[in-house]
């Protein structure tokens, strides 16, 4: 039985959205549709109704879903167990990550994997987004955790965990804080404190401004989000940041305002296609369980 088709069925049932399912599986909407149609033909049932552009499980789909979920779970567990058996003691897994990983679910996944597989020596390092990508290309990391705005290199495979969106970081006393959402036109005359080019967060901001024929007024470019938080709290400007990448617990005077149009990134584990050692395969199977 093709477990990939079953994974597609389970993912579409969870999202009720072919586009979102494709993003989670890191494939195309056309492939998702093709795999669902193949299952429906194989089983001679209709799994989803697609009336009025809304996807819903049919009665047959609801009946078959628990069985499909069980098979997918068992397949993931088998793959992880097989990889773990092959690893043996002393295996090494090198993961390089962006600095903000602690704000994402991936951080807990790495910790859970480490508890489950103490026989694998985990080497966890961090770097800005460009350095993380270079580490994978240069073979200095087995797996990376990074932020994707665009399609990754075709030579890689990815497991996307969650999404994040750009928002505007402002003092609560600012008139901007009272807005439901902000556009780049609203920010045209503001002093901007931004994470620099090496974080890959500068580029989408530049594109937003350029699309409106504007040039951002940059007061600060750097890699330290803590410094940006301190500067915004002291009235030196405002910032555009990823919503989940900043923790405002220690900055009660600051708030985030949605930016429109919405710019979304995907947080993903990425590795190169090809020959992987058992420790890498064990981790890959582990995170695919969800």
């Amino acid at each position: 039985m093709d477990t990939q088709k079953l994974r597609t069925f389970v993912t579409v049932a969870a999202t009720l959205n072919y586009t979102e399912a494709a993003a989670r599986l890191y494939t195309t909407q056309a492939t998702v549709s093709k795999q669902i149609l193949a299952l429906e033909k194989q089983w001679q049932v209709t799994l989803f109704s697609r009336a009025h552009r809304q996807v819903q499980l049919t009665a047959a789909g609801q009946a078959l879903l628990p069985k499909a979920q069980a098979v997918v779970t068992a397949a993931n567990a088998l793959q992880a167990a097989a990889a773990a058996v092959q690893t043996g003691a002393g295996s090494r897994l090198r993961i390089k990550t962006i600095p903000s990983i602690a704000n994402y679910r991936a951080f807990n996944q790495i910790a859970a994997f480490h508890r489950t597989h103490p026989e694998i020596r985990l080497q966890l390092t961090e770097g800005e987004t460009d350095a993380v990508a270079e580490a994978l290309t240069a073979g200095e990391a087995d797996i990376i955790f990074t932020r994707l705005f665009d399609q990754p290199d075709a030579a890689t495979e990815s497991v996307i965990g969650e999404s994040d969106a750009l928002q505007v970081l402002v003092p609560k006393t600012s008139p901007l804080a009272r807005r439901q959402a902000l556009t780049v036109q609203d920010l045209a005359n503001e002093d901007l404190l931004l994470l620099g080019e090496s974080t890959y967060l500068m580029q989408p901001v530049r594109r937003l401004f350029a699309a409106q024929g504007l040039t951002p007024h940059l007061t600060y470019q750097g890699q330290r989000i803590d410094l940006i938080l301190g500067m915004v709290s002291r009235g030196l400007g405002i910032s555009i940041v990823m919503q989940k990448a900043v923790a405002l617990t220690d900055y009660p005077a600051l708030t985030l305002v949605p930016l429109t149009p919405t710019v979304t990134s995907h947080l993903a584990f990425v590795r190169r296609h090809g020959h992987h050692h058992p420790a890498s395969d064990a981790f890959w199977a582990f995170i695919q369980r969800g």
Side-chain angles (χ1 to χ4, degrees):
M1 181 173 291
D2 189 340
T3 55
Q4 184 56 51
K5 290 187 178 67
L6 294 183
R7 286 190 176 92
T8 300
F9 171 38
V10 169
T11 304
V12 174
T15 61
L16 296 179
N17 185 295
Y18 277 47
T19 301
E20 185 176 346
R24 289 193 183 187
L25 295 167
Y26 198 67
T27 187
T28 64
Q29 185 175 340
T31 298
V32 168
S33 180
K34 182 179 179 180
Q35 290 178 340
I36 294 299
L37 289 173
L39 276 182
E40 291 179 329
K41 182 178 180 180
Q42 177 183 346
W43 294 341
Q44 297 184 352
V45 297
T46 300
L47 298 173
F48 298 97
S49 63
R50 304 168 182 83
H52 308 296
R53 296 186 179 181
Q54 291 186 331
V55 178
Q56 296 292 333
L57 274 168
T58 63
Q62 292 175 350
L64 293 171
L65 179 60
K67 300 292 186 183
Q69 290 170 325
V71 172
V72 170
T73 299
N76 288 341
L78 179 60
Q79 184 178 353
V85 168
Q86 295 176 39
T87 57
S91 297
R92 180 183 66 168
L93 179 63
R94 301 168 301 165
I95 301 177
K96 195 172 185 72
T97 171
I98 56 176
S100 58
I101 187 175
N103 297 317
Y104 299 104
R105 188 165 60 91
F107 190 63
N108 292 330
Q109 289 178 300
I110 293 174
F113 177 80
H114 185 56
R115 291 193 299 270
T116 305
H117 294 283
E119 76 281 4
I120 296 176
R121 291 187 294 116
L122 180 64
Q123 294 184 355
L124 189 64
T125 58
E126 71 170 47
E128 295 303 337
T129 309
D130 59 348
V132 170
E134 289 170 6
L136 187 64
T137 302
E140 298 170 354
D142 304 308
I143 294 171
I144 62 172
F145 176 76
T146 191
R147 188 184 307 280
L148 303 175
F149 284 99
D150 304 306
Q151 297 288 337
D153 191 311
T156 66
E157 57 182 332
S158 307
V159 175
I160 296 174
E162 57 190 304
S163 299
D164 204 353
L166 286 176
Q167 295 201 351
V168 185
L169 178 69
V170 299
K172 290 181 178 178
T173 55
S174 168
L176 298 176
R178 295 192 288 272
R179 300 283 295 276
Q180 294 297 311
L182 294 166
T183 68
V184 291
Q185 290 93 334
D186 298 321
L187 311 180
N189 297 318
E190 299 291 333
D191 293 324
L192 292 180
L193 317 167
L194 300 180
L195 291 170
E197 301 283 355
S198 64
T199 68
Y200 288 6
L201 291 176
M202 178 72 74
Q203 294 88 332
V205 173
R206 288 189 187 277
R207 287 196 293 266
L208 281 175
F209 276 80
Q212 302 300 320
L214 300 172
T215 300
H217 180 204
L218 300 178
T219 300
Y220 170 82
Q221 299 179 58
Q223 285 73 47
R224 292 181 54 190
I225 189 64
D226 60 326
L227 182 56
I228 288 177
L229 286 164
M231 294 171 73
V232 175
S233 67
R234 289 166 175 78
L236 294 176
I238 65 172
S239 187
I240 301 175
V241 297
M242 280 290 157
Q243 179 185 6
K244 298 177 184 178
V246 294
L248 298 184
T249 305
D250 295 330
Y251 298 89
L254 303 183
T255 190
L256 290 165
V257 181
L259 181 66
T260 184
T262 302
V263 176
T264 301
S265 69
H266 297 294
L267 286 306
F269 286 105
V270 180
R271 68 176 184 172
R272 297 187 67 80
H273 286 299
H275 302 289
H276 302 296
H277 56 72
S280 172
D281 287 337
F283 182 80
W284 210 249
F286 185 89
I287 60 175
Q288 285 181 312
R289 297 184 213 171

